[in-house]
Structures are given as C-alpha cells and as structure tokens.
Amino acid sequence: MCRHLAYLGPPIPLSALLFDPPHGLSHQSWAPRDMRGGGTINADGFGVGWHTPAGPVRYRRATPLWSDNTLPGLAATIASGSVLAAVRSATVGMPVTEGAAAPFADGPWLFSHNGVVRGWPQSMAKPAATLPVTDLLTLDAPTDSALLWALIRSRLRDGPAEAVAATVAEVERAAPGSRLNLLLTDGTTIVATTAGHALSVRDDDFVLVASEPLDDHPAWRAVDDRTLLVAGPSGLHLTSLGDA
Ligand code: GLN
C-alpha cells in the first residue's frame, strides 16, 4: 500500500523528507521495506503538501515520484514547517489519476490514507449516504481514500482527533478488516492512526511520522498497531484506538 509521512517543526526543505535521507519517501516509493502484503512498489502517483502563510500548497502527479524531474529542484528550494507527503500503490480496481493521490485537502487540512477499505464500494454505501450529495459529487476521485476524507471532513468541527477516531470506528463497522492508517494535519497538529500498516515516529524539536523510518537514527520508534497519535503544541500523545 502507500507510504506516507507528516512533519511539524522548524522549517526544512521538502528534499530533507523526500530525497535526501537514505530511506526518504522517494526511496520508499521503489524500495519499501514493510508493505505487509499490501503491494510491492508505490508507483501509482504521489503528492506533497506543505503549509505556507497563505495556506497549504500541493504538488500531485499520477506518475512515480522517482520519475519526476521537476520536483527535486523545487524540493531543494521550498522550505516549510509543516509537510504531508505520500506515494501511492493503487488498490486493484481503483483509478490511477492525480486526484486519487494524497494529500487530499480542504481549507488548512491535508489528509492521506495508507490502506484499503474492504468490500469497496458496496460496503461503504450506507456511510456514504450520510454525506451531503454535493460532497459525493465533488470527490477528488472515486476511491476509498477520497471517501474517507469526505467522512472525516464532515466531522472536523468535533476536533481532528475525534473526527479521525469516529471515522475509523464507522468504517471498521461497515467494512471489517479494512486497513486504515490515516494522516491529517492543519499545520499545527498532526493526527495519525495505525490500523493494519506500519508507522514510526521521531519526536525532537520536531515531530516526524512516517510509514517507515527515513534513516537509521536511533530516535525512531515504531508505533503499535491500533494507535491514535496526536502531535501538536501540547506534545506527542499516543492512545489506543480500541479493538476493531
Ligand atoms: N486504497 C487507496 C488507494 O487505492 C490507498 C492505497 C494504499 O495505501 N496503497 O488509493
């Protein structure tokens, strides 16, 4: 399945996450180490979103990250204190388009999903029916990840961690066995889940969460499965998502 990461801290060039580390996201796109049976490489598009004083900016493509000749130069010269990036391995049957690549966005929010919703699309018919029709008509793509984003967005007024946890619970009821590693940030808080896929975290004067550690620094910690991770002004908090 996909690989993704989110960074919050002092501004750094995008290349410090994507290209410079030995196992940065570009390396993870063609040589991931811990896919847990969910695909082999992440060649079906990518996206990077970063916060600026004017709001988030995204660069997404439907092609492999390693084949983009423009991004390395941009990434070396664009710095941000909040970044969310993803490389995609499309679930069988789902379209390979720019709109299907994370991050999905709305206002200050950037979102990514690593995993799969089982029984798609039939399993999600009832949860989807709770959304305004216009939300469904304006999905970025007809994929599980884009619908997850619409469900979370509809709950954001409850708070980001609450919206993510409630959506995971709803989707697990409707589509048991789904894999739901989610990442959400507004530039001041990161919310992440582990439900079926790998995730590691580094917590220093910055927070960096990533599907796989970007290097062999000893400060990387694996996040247990079924964790809700919240990182923000009050530090890093890990709680259990509870049983599926
Ligand atoms: N199911 C999602 C998609 O196809 C996410 C895939 C993944 O995690 N590899 O886009």
Side-chain angles (χ1 to χ4, degrees), residues 1-4 35 38-39 41-42 44 87-95 100-102 104 112-117 143-146 148 179 181 197:
M1 299 278 141
C2 311
R3 304 286 80 179
H4 59 195
M35 297 283 277
I41 58 167
N42 299 286
D44 301 321
V87 290
R88 179 169 182 240
S89 169
T91 297
V92 173
M94 295 194 189
F104 301 92
S112 171
H113 165 223
N114 162 213
V116 61
V117 173
T143 63
D144 53 358
S145 306
L148 283 172
R179 291 174 156 197
N181 277 41
H197 271 293

Side-chain angles (χ1 to χ4, degrees), residues 188-215:
T188 53
T189 299
I190 293 171
V191 178
T193 59
T194 51
H197 271 293
L199 193 73
S200 290
V201 61
R202 271 198 68 183
D203 179 23
D204 203 307
D205 65 331
F206 60 84
V207 179
L208 177 54
V209 295
S211 300
E212 301 180 12
L214 274 52
D215 52 36

Side-chain angles (χ1 to χ4, degrees), residues 6-9 81-82 109 160-161 183-193 199-209 221 223 227-239:
Y7 170 88
L8 211 50
S82 167
W109 297 101
L183 267 186
L184 176 69
T185 185
D186 63 351
T188 53
T189 299
I190 293 171
V191 178
T193 59
L199 193 73
S200 290
V201 61
R202 271 198 68 183
D203 179 23
D204 203 307
D205 65 331
F206 60 84
V207 179
L208 177 54
V209 295
R221 284 190 284 152
V223 179
T227 296
L228 177 69
L229 177 155
V230 181
S234 70
L236 177 67
H237 304 278
L238 305 177
T239 53

